[in-house]
Amino acid sequence: MSRFGDLWRRLRGQPRRQGKAAAMPTVRYATSPLLASRTPPWRVKFMIGAIGLGFAVLIGRAAWIQIIHNDFYQQQGASRYERRIELEANRGRILDRNGELLASSVPAPSLWAIPKDLSASPEQLRQLAKLLEMKPAELKKRLGTSPNFVWLRRKVPDDVAQKVAELKIKGVYELREWRRQYPEGESAAHIVGFTNIEDEGQEGIELGYQKQLSGHDGARHVIKDRLGRVVESVGDTIPAVDGQSIRLSIDAKVQFYAYQRIRDAVIQHKAKAGSVVVLDAVTGEVLALANVPSYTPEDRRNLTGAQLRNRALTDTFEPGSTMKPIIAALAMETRRVRPDTVIPTAPGRLTIDGSTISDSHPHGDLTVAEVIQKSSNVGTAKMALQMQPREMWEIYSAVGLGQKPQIGFPGVVTGRLRPYKSWRRIEQVTMSYGYGLSASLFQLAQAYTIFATDGELIPMSLLKRDGGVEPRSGVPRPDDERPVLAFKTAFRPDGNQVDSRQSGRVVSDEPVPMRGTRVISPETAREVRHMLMMATQPGGTALKAQAVGYSVGGKTGTARKQEGRGYAGNKYRAWFVGIAPISQPRIVVAVMVDEPGTGVYYGGEVAAPVFSQVVQQTLHRLGVLPDIEVQSQIQTSIPSEVESF
């Protein structure tokens, strides 16, 4: 190859290469035209400017990171090792009037997982799904929703959490939360309500007092190592503030009695539903409010709207014959009649504007007291026809009809009371015995307080009058360290005083009377009270309302249920509203049974026995001494008067 190279160079006139020196061509850099050309001034300036700008950008970026936006990068750095641990506030307790728990929060384990770290055999996953009450496919789908975090099941029973831990599945963890517990179960469910999985009230007191019960969560900042272990705390800890405890006027024992009695009546008469309201006529406190059907707040699977409804507050109906004592009171208050004024009711029918109203059977001449005792539609209609529509509307409004009860409970209804200017003559008559208007059972019970309090309508409360809300506490405390509620003195049936904290007796010997708005005079109230007592005695419509040891009085009600634009032929509501003891009224009890299905549907037969049982148990619980001779049994061999409705 060297020979051919030499030949080629010789042909080109180049000298023959001699060794390594001959192989390197000679370059004259000084005479290079590239170096000999002058550089333009703008290029130098551009280069210097670009270098300066680069330095300025670097300095600005450094200032942005180190000075101006330092907090962001500090936070980003801290997020790699610093964690904020939520200190969950304990939701406030709900107590009855004596401090017994109706709702409280207890620690509960919640199970969660990091799917990307999950390591489990098919058998372990099958067992996990079974413990979580899921199908394996459902568990697999849940684990596929996020690679970093998924809830498996929140607030599980302790034994379930223990069995899951024993599976030793990598990537499955446990977190302690709070679960709501309801010791009284279905008997108090409609009052207390319940919370959702996030501990937010959904029904009842839990919803109505959400703000007071919820409290405020706290926080604690800590440093964790790469294994998630807490190394040290940093900064100040913000303590959790517990929710306030709500002390209701409800007596848990009276509530349970009332629930049992209405439940038994619904079962016995194969009814659709039933409700009971028990009011303290002295203090204006609600002692019980029970409904059937009910539900267990801690287990709401397959829950229906029929179970959720607090019927005593949300269901309205035409009150029927329970309006008759109010019409009699108005007639006596306006001096149109006296208790012994005779009203002819023969032949048991009355035609007004082409419509005929009738009694269950002819009664002949009746006094005003007997009109109430025998529940005569004709006698009541003749009293109503002596009045102006405005007068009836005013007294109905004065006792709370057509107005929402102010008891601080969600879902209460107003009922229906049309303006009196639109009443026709026949409508005025039918409204006198309870058709053409509507009210809830609670409204009826409150209306009857005018007869129990010598003429005053007293405001009702679901909170205990002497303080229904306890102050907040700064840090959650165990139940046994919380303030003990103070109770007053109570009486045994023999009249001896006892300490209520030791005996469980609950009502003081001197309940503080609640003042209300005067509707009728004390004299009229006492006269109507006597008429109500006559209704529970021979010749009246409610012999089965009698209570052992206590004088009682009240009014039955029976009405066909509305269906479409008319009334059903075989669907009824039966109720009874009464007072006890008549000699010195302490409680008002209202009972409603919806659609009894055994063929017996009169209020005196269906609702009055429930009233009798609730009165006896409640007055004994309150320490009220019997005011009549205690007999071995109530004599009911004499049939009750058949009610007109």
Side-chain angles (χ1 to χ4, degrees):
M1 288 295 293
S2 60
R3 291 181 181 179
F4 287 108
D6 290 341
L7 179 60
W8 176 253
R9 281 190 292 274
R10 201 176 291 120
L11 291 173
R12 296 182 59 187
Q14 295 179 354
R16 184 179 180 180
R17 185 176 58 177
Q18 295 182 357
K20 293 182 179 180
M24 299 294 294
T26 301
V27 180
R28 297 181 180 276
Y29 290 99
T31 60
S32 172
L34 180 63
L35 294 178
S37 63
R38 297 183 62 183
T39 303
W42 66 267
R43 186 181 295 175
V44 176
K45 294 178 181 179
F46 174 78
M47 294 300 295
I48 293 172
I51 293 171
L53 180 61
F55 274 109
V57 170
L58 292 175
I59 292 171
R61 181 62 176 168
W64 175 263
I65 293 174
Q66 298 294 333
I67 301 173
I68 300 174
H69 211 220
N70 182 54
D71 291 344
F72 172 78
Y73 291 97
Q74 290 282 4
Q75 292 173 2
Q76 290 297 307
S79 67
R80 272 55 176 181
Y81 60 86
E82 185 178 329
R83 297 289 185 271
R84 184 178 188 270
I85 300 177
E86 295 285 347
L87 301 178
E88 190 176 358
N90 191 0
R91 188 175 178 85
R93 300 175 298 167
I94 300 177
L95 313 168
D96 86 335
R97 64 187 298 107
N98 310 305
E100 293 188 25
L101 282 175
L102 299 178
S104 64
S105 295
V106 296
S110 291
L111 303 175
W112 60 283
I114 302 177
K116 67 181 181 181
D117 295 341
L118 192 67
S119 177
S121 67
E123 177 60 23
Q124 285 178 313
L125 290 177
R126 187 188 65 79
Q127 293 182 24
L128 177 61
K130 183 178 180 181
L131 289 171
L132 298 178
E133 298 180 353
M134 298 180 185
K135 295 180 180 179
E138 183 182 354
L139 176 60
K140 183 178 180 180
K141 181 179 179 181
R142 180 168 297 188
L143 291 171
T145 57
S146 170
N148 298 315
F149 177 89
V150 292
W151 285 112
L152 296 179
R153 188 178 166 195
R154 297 181 67 180
K155 303 180 182 179
V156 300
D158 290 331
D159 61 330
V160 172
Q162 178 63 30
K163 291 177 181 178
V164 171
E166 291 173 357
L167 293 177
K168 297 181 180 179
I169 300 176
K170 182 182 178 182
V172 174
Y173 304 94
E174 179 183 312
L175 174 70
R176 305 299 288 185
E177 293 189 289
W178 296 101
R179 181 180 68 239
R180 210 64 170 155
Q181 196 173 55
Y182 301 95
E184 294 300 316
E186 59 186 17
S187 68
H190 290 107
I191 296 176
V192 178
F194 58 87
T195 61
N196 62 12
I197 196 69
E198 300 296 341
D199 232 13
E200 298 170 340
Q202 301 298 295
E203 292 286 344
I205 294 296
E206 294 277 29
L207 173 60
Y209 291 86
Q210 165 66 18
K211 184 177 180 181
Q212 294 89 335
L213 289 165
S214 60
H216 300 288
D217 291 342
R220 175 189 174 205
H221 291 271
V222 299
I223 294 176
K224 290 187 176 183
D225 63 14
R226 66 183 184 86
L227 298 178
R229 297 173 300 190
V230 175
V231 176
E232 64 174 318
S233 297
V234 293
D236 295 331
T237 297
I238 303 174
V241 180
D242 287 352
Q244 295 170 279
S245 289
I246 304 297
R247 192 179 183 192
L248 302 183
S249 61
I250 297 297
D251 185 306
K253 296 295 187 294
V254 175
Q255 177 71 25
F256 183 68
Y257 296 152
Y259 175 75
Q260 279 189 319
R261 300 291 79 80
I262 191 63
R263 180 193 61 190
D264 294 346
V266 167
I267 294 172
Q268 176 186 350
H269 295 283
K270 298 180 180 179
K272 180 179 178 181
S275 300
V276 178
V277 175
V278 183
L279 306 180
D280 190 321
V282 177
T283 65
E285 295 171 314
V286 182
L287 298 177
L289 195 158
N291 299 278
V292 174
S294 186
Y295 62 96
T296 302
E298 295 177 51
D299 183 9
R300 300 188 296 277
R301 290 172 294 184
N302 304 318
L303 192 61
T304 65
Q307 292 173 281
L308 274 175
R309 289 214 320 267
N310 191 336
R311 297 168 186 270
L313 293 171
T314 64
D315 285 18
T316 60
F317 51 85
E318 291 178 312
S321 296
T322 54
M323 292 293 98
K324 293 173 181 176
I326 297 176
I327 294 300
L330 176 60
M332 291 187 293
E333 190 73 7
T334 56
R335 302 291 189 269
R336 291 184 171 97
V337 299
R338 296 189 307 272
D340 57 356
T341 299
V342 176
I343 299 177
T345 66
R349 296 186 304 277
L350 180 64
T351 301
I352 300 172
D353 298 339
S355 299
T356 300
I357 63 172
S358 60
D359 287 338
S360 58
H361 60 275
H363 295 292
D365 291 343
L366 297 175
T367 64
V368 170
E370 290 173 333
V371 166
I372 301 304
Q373 180 190 28
K374 300 182 183 300
S375 192
S376 169
N377 289 343
V378 174
T380 306
K382 288 190 173 182
M383 284 190 285
L385 288 172
Q386 300 178 43
M387 307 169 187
Q388 296 297 319
R390 180 177 59 83
E391 294 177 287
M392 286 179 53
W393 182 89
E394 285 178 347
I395 194 169
Y396 281 174
S397 296
V399 298
L401 301 183
Q403 303 171 48
K404 183 178 293 186
Q406 301 301 309
I407 58 173
F409 194 89
V412 294
V413 293
T414 302
R416 183 170 179 265
L417 178 63
R418 292 189 298 109
Y420 63 87
K421 291 183 179 180
S422 64
W423 293 6
R424 293 179 297 152
R425 193 162 175 259
I426 184 61
E427 290 176 327
Q428 179 182 350
V429 168
T430 58
M431 285 187 187
S432 71
Y433 56 88
Y435 285 86
L437 68 157
S438 66
S440 67
L441 189 68
F442 186 90
Q443 287 176 305
L444 279 182
Q446 185 177 15
Y448 269 57
T449 61
I450 66 171
F451 306 131
T453 61
D454 286 345
E456 293 184 1
L457 183 79
I458 58 176
M460 292 293 125
S461 174
L462 269 171
L463 298 183
K464 198 169 188 309
R465 290 290 191 190
D466 60 359
V469 181
E470 295 181 6
R472 294 185 187 273
S473 56
V475 180
R477 292 175 293 173
D479 287 347
D480 58 357
E481 294 182 8
R482 298 194 179 199
V484 177
L485 301 178
F487 302 125
K488 298 179 182 179
T489 306
F491 286 100
R492 293 193 182 97
D494 58 9
N496 296 323
Q497 293 184 358
V498 294
D499 188 333
S500 62
R501 287 171 293 184
Q502 297 175 357
S503 69
R505 304 295 297 208
V506 297
V507 174
S508 69
D509 52 331
E510 296 180 358
V512 180
M514 185 69 185
R515 298 306 304 269
T517 304
R518 180 159 298 283
V519 178
I520 57 177
S521 66
E523 295 77 12
T524 299
R526 286 192 287 269
E527 288 167 347
V528 174
R529 228 165 33 229
H530 178 70
M531 298 177 191
L532 296 176
M533 184 173 66
M534 290 174 59
T536 66
Q537 295 176 344
T541 60
L543 291 179
K544 292 183 178 180
Q546 297 175 37
V548 175
Y550 298 101
S551 59
V552 300
K555 186 69 189 73
T556 55
T558 309
R560 288 187 173 89
K561 293 185 67 173
Q562 286 185 316
E563 198 171 74
R565 294 187 176 183
Y567 292 90
N570 58 351
K571 294 181 181 180
Y572 302 87
R573 279 193 180 95
W575 53 87
F576 186 88
V577 187
I579 300 165
I582 287 295
S583 59
Q584 189 174 357
R586 181 60 193 275
I587 60 174
V588 175
V589 179
V591 181
M592 186 274 292
V593 179
D594 188 12
E595 287 190 32
T598 59
V600 178
Y601 49 81
Y602 287 107
E605 299 294 323
V606 177
V610 180
F611 168 86
S612 171
Q613 296 163 346
V614 172
V615 162
Q616 292 177 68
Q617 293 168 326
T618 301
L619 292 180
H620 177 70
R621 172 71 175 166
L622 297 179
V624 177
L625 298 178
D627 65 333
I628 60 176
E629 182 180 353
V630 178
Q631 300 176 356
S632 58
Q633 60 181 5
I634 299 174
Q635 299 295 329
T636 58
S637 56
I638 303 174
S640 297
E641 181 76 23
V642 178
E643 180 186 358
S644 301
F645 65 93

